[in-house]
Amino acid sequence: MELKKDSNAVSIDMLLIVHSEKRRAAHGTHSDRQADPGALPQRRGGLQGVGNGIRRWQKFEGNDVHGNLAEKQHPQQTQVITSYDNQGTQLTVEVHPRDAMPQLLKKFSLAKRLQGDKNGNTRPRQPGAKDAHVYPWDRSSLKSMPLDLQEFEKLDTYASQVTVKSGLDELVSDLLQEAHSDLERVRVIWIWICHHIEYDIEAAQEKDRQAFKPTDILRTQKTNCDGYAGLFEKMCRIAGVQCMTVPGYSKGFGYQTGQSFSGEFDHAWNAVYLEGRWHLLDSTWGSGLVDSATSKFTFLYNEFYFLTHPALFIEDHFPDNKNWQLLKPPQSLKQFENNMYHKSEFYNKGMLSAHPETSVIKTVNGKATVTVESCAPTLFMFMLNGKQEHGLLSLRKNGMKLDIYPPTVGTHKLQIFAKGKSDIYSSVLEYTLKCNYVDIGVRLPAELHQPVGPSWFSEQMGIMKPSHPDPIIHTSDGRCSVSFGVEESTSVLASLHGDEGPITEETQRRYIFQMQREKRAELKVQLPQAGKFALKIFVKKRLEPGNYVFVFNYLLCCTNTKVNWPMFPESFGNWGQDNELLEPLSGVLPANRNVPFKLKLHGIAKALVKGQDTWPLTLNQEGYWEGSCNTAGCQEVYVMVLENANHNFYSYILKYKVNAQ
């Protein structure tokens, strides 16, 4: 049955296939319940457009048909009778032998659809037990059937380049030129729609059904989700593949975490019958996305929604009929509302699971913890209320752990992003975080970036075997020493950041003194006062141009309020990373004192300390340059070296300040 809507009336073209009473009696009354190989697929009702542009099933009540049919026809002859009622409704009846092909099929473009499948079935069957997949997801595959996407590469390229020449039938015919199985037929239709049909936000809000006719969609190459699903179904049926449109609720554009669903359905997608089983897909979401800020559509192909595993599809698609979940056991609407929503990028980027498994989480003593498991090492980041603050994110070999400390009581938005194989971080999770208590004692430095602590990533960047594998370092006296292995081609840089105290951009490296011992780098750290500090680690390939790259940071914690360490001496460019300073480590020297110096310097001929006077340093048997100087009358003291004994030019390598008298 085909419904056609215009401004004046609704016309119904009906093909009614009947048999003589003698033949019906011969086959018994049970034949009424059997599918006739020549029968048109039937629906229980019509489709009514709703305000949001989505179809929903409703019963369709029409006028009674008036007119007299032929009194009796010979069963071996074919006769067509046409009758009209007083309101212009047309009824066409064809009487023909049981085994003959109905002549009126020539009037429809559905002949191929009625040829039947391998088992002789022509009516799409409803999903049953053999279509159902086990819930929850078994992690076996993102797809509902085995697929090798590389085998689709040439086919996808071909389908994406096919253009519309005239009508839908010719378009499907052109697409099928390179398709040799039902799976490939579905694939070319999917690829063409996803790469050519744009989501029309305005049309999605209109009530006019004309906007969603296949002819109009081909002309404008725009539609809404209902149009996507209807076009996909139409093209599949022309191609001889059983396909159904499935209406329901979705967690798509405009979805708010934790919201409930009621009333009219807001989305539509498709089910296709392949290899004896129903499979799900959504060409609307496969084609691109709508920017929430601009409400504009962007083509961005998403493979995830092609033959998606039903246990994953249910996360953002809830059908009107639970059988179309294709799950055992099926999920209730309440479960759909409460279950954690993993965005498609969550699975596209190799995520497997996340905890907590609910979209709304509550803090315990001011803290909430989120963990993600991935199938491969992955970079993550987070945002709390749009800022990368108030959290400790540590990378794991197969996932990450995030401890979050909301700064205020109330409701917060927590987003988790993952990088995957691309260079772009994509949103993969979103939580609503409810906090009823704030622990002021765990406030974190604003400059504490992600990730915290060494990981597989720092090892990949050339930092290995750290002395402190944990991300947090506690120090009782405000001092600590951190070391790690460094590849010979890698140069390391560190800086200290806190929210309070005298640390500025100029002095943030002066509380760290860096030394290189064989293939290990050592960072001596002295804190200016008690509190929490971010110790940032950067690396750079020595022979490559460019800037240092941030790798990770430590969180340094000190509760000793008596801590008040001065800065280390200022170092200059000639201070090599292989040099070692034993004393004095303080960058500020006492006035009117004899101060001992001890350093290990490589590749120099002479060394001296210059203040009011000059004091030479001597090389001892252990390889250290030693000596002392008097700070009387000095404001600054320098350590200077002569690299070539044949020259008289000394270079500055260290600078100390002297306390005022």
Side-chain angles (χ1 to χ4, degrees):
M1 181 183 295
E2 181 175 299
L3 303 186
K4 299 179 180 178
K5 178 179 176 183
D6 57 32
S7 59
N8 298 318
V10 175
S11 65
I12 304 176
D13 291 334
M14 176 184 293
L15 173 61
L16 179 63
I17 302 173
V18 299
H19 305 288
S20 67
E21 290 298 327
K22 291 182 180 180
R23 293 183 65 85
R24 290 179 62 85
H27 286 83
T29 57
H30 68 279
S31 63
D32 290 341
R33 296 186 295 272
Q34 294 178 346
D36 190 327
L40 276 168
Q42 297 179 2
R43 288 177 175 170
R44 296 182 179 178
L47 294 172
Q48 179 180 357
V50 296
N52 55 9
I54 308 303
R55 296 176 178 177
R56 60 187 175 91
W57 297 105
Q58 285 193 343
K59 293 181 179 180
F60 183 86
E61 297 179 359
N63 297 314
D64 292 338
V65 178
H66 301 284
N68 299 319
L69 302 180
E71 294 181 359
K72 188 174 183 180
Q73 298 295 333
H74 192 279
Q76 297 303 317
Q77 295 178 344
T78 297
Q79 183 170 346
V80 177
I81 306 100
T82 301
S83 178
Y84 299 87
D85 69 357
N86 55 10
Q87 295 187 8
T89 301
Q90 173 185 322
L91 174 64
T92 302
V93 179
E94 175 181 327
V95 182
H96 65 90
R98 179 179 180 85
D99 299 326
M101 174 65 71
Q103 297 298 311
L104 284 179
L105 289 182
K106 297 179 180 179
K107 180 179 179 181
F108 298 92
S109 62
L110 303 175
K112 190 169 185 179
R113 169 186 162 194
L114 299 177
Q115 290 176 358
D117 58 21
K118 296 178 181 178
N119 299 320
N121 299 316
T122 58
R123 182 181 303 169
R125 68 167 179 81
Q126 291 296 306
K130 76 173 186 176
D131 300 292
H133 295 253
V134 175
Y135 184 89
W137 184 45
D138 59 7
R139 300 186 177 185
S140 60
S141 173
L142 300 182
K143 303 296 186 181
S144 55
M145 64 186 297
L147 293 180
D148 184 353
L149 297 180
Q150 292 183 345
E151 295 182 356
F152 287 141
E153 289 181 356
K154 292 183 178 179
L155 191 66
D156 291 353
T157 301
Y158 169 78
S160 64
Q161 296 174 350
V162 172
T163 58
V164 179
K165 297 176 181 177
S166 58
L168 195 61
D169 290 273
E170 184 177 1
L171 171 61
V172 174
S173 177
D174 289 343
L175 288 171
L176 298 187
Q177 294 298 316
E178 299 295 328
H180 306 294
S181 66
D182 280 354
L183 173 59
E184 291 185 349
R185 295 181 186 101
V186 169
R187 182 69 182 188
V188 294
I189 294 171
W190 157 269
I191 289 294
W192 189 89
I193 291 179
C194 288
H195 287 80
H196 290 84
I197 304 302
E198 177 181 346
Y199 188 81
D200 191 336
I201 298 176
E202 293 182 1
Q205 299 171 347
E206 294 176 357
K207 297 181 181 180
D208 185 4
R209 304 308 304 157
Q210 299 286 344
F212 310 119
K213 286 183 177 180
T215 53
D216 291 330
I217 296 173
L218 291 187
R219 176 177 54 83
T220 64
Q221 297 206 344
K222 289 184 177 182
T223 187
N224 75 333
C225 57
D226 185 51
Y228 276 100
L231 178 64
F232 194 94
E233 178 181 351
K234 183 75 173 179
M235 293 176 72
C236 279
R237 294 194 174 188
I238 293 175
V241 178
Q242 292 187 11
C243 178
M244 299 287 286
T245 295
V246 182
Y249 297 122
S250 68
K251 296 179 180 179
F253 177 68
Y255 168 73
Q256 298 294 323
T257 303
Q259 79 174 60
S260 58
F261 295 86
S262 61
E264 298 171 345
F265 297 119
D266 63 2
H267 196 42
W269 54 93
N270 294 101
V272 290
Y273 194 73
L274 298 171
E275 299 182 7
R277 200 174 192 180
W278 284 106
H279 302 269
L280 302 172
L281 52 82
D282 186 342
S283 57
T284 308
W285 292 6
S287 63
L289 48 84
V290 176
D291 188 300
S292 57
T294 63
S295 295
K296 292 184 178 180
F297 174 83
T298 300
F299 277 107
L300 186 63
Y301 177 70
N302 193 342
E303 174 63 36
F304 178 77
Y305 290 106
F306 178 73
L307 308 187
T308 315
H309 194 292
L312 304 181
F313 204 75
I314 191 62
E315 292 199 21
D316 45 21
H317 292 73
F318 188 84
D320 67 327
N321 184 334
K322 68 179 182 179
N323 291 335
W324 284 116
Q325 294 182 24
L326 307 184
L327 290 175
K328 54 182 180 183
Q331 300 293 287
S332 67
L333 179 59
K334 193 67 176 178
Q335 288 174 306
F336 174 74
E337 293 172 342
N338 293 337
N339 284 347
M340 184 61 206
Y341 170 38
H342 304 101
K343 300 183 179 182
S344 61
E345 285 299 284
F346 181 88
Y347 298 106
N348 285 338
K349 291 187 178 294
M351 308 298 106
L352 297 173
S353 65
H355 297 277
E357 296 181 341
T358 56
S359 57
V360 180
I361 55 179
K362 297 180 179 180
T363 60
V364 178
N365 296 325
K367 170 186 172 183
T369 300
V370 176
T371 59
V372 175
E373 181 184 359
S374 59
C375 60
T378 305
L379 289 175
F380 293 87
M381 61 170 283
F382 76 92
M383 295 187 76
L384 183 67
N385 301 326
K387 296 182 179 180
Q388 300 181 43
E389 298 178 358
H390 310 295
L392 297 174
L393 189 153
S394 55
L395 298 176
R396 297 176 173 179
K397 187 175 182 180
N398 290 311
M400 72 88 176
K401 177 184 178 183
L402 171 63
D403 292 328
I404 199 80
Y405 303 89
T408 60
V409 172
T411 301
H412 304 267
K413 180 180 180 180
L414 175 62
Q415 295 171 285
I416 311 295
F417 301 83
K419 194 171 185 180
K421 296 180 180 179
S422 68
D423 293 331
I424 301 174
Y425 281 92
S426 300
S427 176
V428 295
L429 285 174
E430 186 174 309
Y431 288 96
T432 296
L433 186 59
K434 295 186 176 182
C435 177
N436 55 11
Y437 170 78
V438 175
D439 187 350
I440 300 178
V442 295
R443 289 194 180 276
L444 303 174
E447 288 293 323
L448 186 72
H449 290 172
Q450 310 156 45
V452 180
S455 66
W456 61 267
F457 178 65
S458 56
E459 185 173 327
Q460 180 178 296
M461 298 297 288
I463 296 177
M464 299 160 289
K465 297 181 179 179
S467 59
H468 295 70
D470 295 328
I472 303 177
I473 299 175
H474 294 275
T475 170
S476 59
D477 64 356
R479 296 185 296 179
C480 68
S481 176
V482 178
S483 65
F484 35 76
V486 179
E487 294 179 351
E488 293 183 3
S489 61
T490 301
S491 179
V492 178
L493 185 67
S495 59
L496 188 69
H497 304 260
D499 290 340
E500 298 178 359
I503 294 184
T504 64
E505 186 175 353
E506 294 180 359
T507 61
Q508 61 192 13
R509 294 189 180 94
R510 294 283 304 281
Y511 288 95
I512 305 167
F513 199 82
Q514 183 174 334
M515 293 179 289
Q516 193 87 12
R517 293 183 178 178
E518 295 181 351
K519 293 184 179 182
R520 289 189 70 82
E522 181 180 4
L523 304 176
K524 291 184 179 292
V525 182
Q526 295 181 164
L527 301 180
Q529 71 270 331
K532 292 183 173 63
F533 298 83
L535 176 61
K536 294 186 177 182
I537 311 297
F538 304 82
V539 300
K540 176 183 177 298
K541 295 297 182 181
R542 293 183 179 179
L543 300 179
E544 295 181 2
N547 299 322
Y548 280 83
V549 177
F550 171 75
V551 180
F552 72 97
N553 42 209
Y554 284 106
L555 175 63
L556 306 185
C557 303
C558 179
T559 58
N560 187 350
T561 56
K562 296 181 180 180
V563 167
N564 184 22
W565 290 104
M567 294 180 290
F568 287 103
E570 182 179 355
S571 60
F572 298 99
N574 288 338
W575 174 266
Q577 286 192 351
D578 293 337
N579 294 340
E580 182 180 351
L581 174 65
L582 273 69
E583 58 178 350
L585 290 176
S586 173
V588 181
L589 303 179
N592 302 318
R593 296 281 185 89
N594 284 322
V595 179
F597 281 76
K598 187 175 182 179
L599 310 89
K600 178 170 284 189
L601 306 172
H602 299 276
I604 67 166
K606 293 182 180 180
L608 59 83
V609 178
K610 184 178 183 347
Q612 186 74 11
D613 297 311
T614 299
W615 291 269
L617 300 179
T618 58
L619 184 63
N620 65 20
Q621 294 180 350
E622 297 175 350
Y624 290 95
W625 293 86
E626 290 183 303
S628 63
C629 83
N630 192 288
T631 59
C634 299
Q635 292 183 341
E636 296 174 340
V637 171
Y638 295 90
V639 177
M640 306 175 68
V641 297
L642 180 67
E643 297 180 358
N644 191 328
N646 297 322
H647 296 164
N648 294 322
F649 180 76
Y650 281 80
S651 301
Y652 293 95
I653 60 172
L654 294 176
K655 175 184 177 181
Y656 293 84
K657 289 187 176 182
V658 179
N659 274 328
Q661 298 182 7

